[in-house]
Amino acid sequence: MRTATVAAGLVGALAALTACSGGGGDKTASPSPTPSATATSAAPSASGSRAVTGASAKLQGSWIATSGGKIVALVITGKKAGLFVTGRKAWCQGVAGKDSGMQMIHLTCPDGNKDRGTGMVDSVDGKGMTVKWSGKIGEETYTKAEGGKLPSTLPTKPKH
């Protein structure tokens, strides 16, 4: 139950970070900076300087996985991507979209972690997504979190 509570909090926090689109609203309030405001539109240097076009509608949203007993939250909004793993102080940010004809995710982590630096989306539908990461994580399966709610079941990393 504790894992579900932490995951629900992560989904809510990441959804709130990506919900601000800069449209309309109260112009008198001074917006506070968020980590999503610093995301770049270019691919991180780890992937070279490839141009990434917008992510497909199927990639958009909040995705949850478990790996090594930790919760992994991946949020994709437009071309921006953010990833948070419980137990790590830093979260990763980057881009998601078409790259060389494939749906790709390119992330950079301020702590230098490269476990999930570049990921190729192997499959995606309205309920789940499988990403093959170039780092030591390998293949990871995510469940879509709808409306800031935790999925009824969390995927786990397959044991080989």
Side-chain angles (χ1 to χ4, degrees):
M1 185 54 106
R2 182 174 170 220
T3 301
T5 303
V6 172
L10 285 174
V11 171
L14 287 171
L17 285 175
T18 58
C20 299
S21 63
D26 184 7
K27 305 265 186 223
T28 60
S30 175
S32 60
T34 63
S36 64
T38 61
T40 61
S41 61
S45 60
S47 66
S49 47
R50 298 182 204 158
V52 175
T53 59
S56 74
K58 289 182 180 180
L59 293 184
Q60 302 296 313
S62 300
W63 301 89
I64 302 292
T66 57
S67 179
K70 298 182 185 228
I71 299 167
V72 180
L74 173 64
V75 178
I76 300 172
T77 303
K79 290 194 293 185
K80 295 179 182 179
L83 181 127
F84 180 81
V85 180
T86 56
R88 283 188 34 208
K89 292 181 182 180
W91 63 281
C92 309
Q93 63 182 358
V95 294
K98 279 230 185 242
D99 184 350
S100 302
M102 298 175 285
Q103 289 289 342
M104 301 292 291
I105 302 167
H106 299 286
L107 300 171
T108 306
C109 305
D111 62 1
N113 186 301
K114 296 189 186 314
D115 291 349
R116 294 177 182 88
T118 298
M120 181 178 72
V121 178
D122 189 45
S123 65
V124 63
D125 61 27
K127 296 180 182 181
M129 174 171 63
T130 302
V131 179
K132 290 182 182 176
W133 295 104
S134 61
K136 73 177 185 177
I137 296 300
E139 186 175 287
E140 202 162 46
T141 302
Y142 295 83
T143 300
K144 189 150 194 178
E146 292 292 340
K149 294 181 182 178
L150 191 64
S152 58
T153 59
L154 290 175
T156 58
K157 186 172 181 175
K159 296 178 183 178
H160 297 273

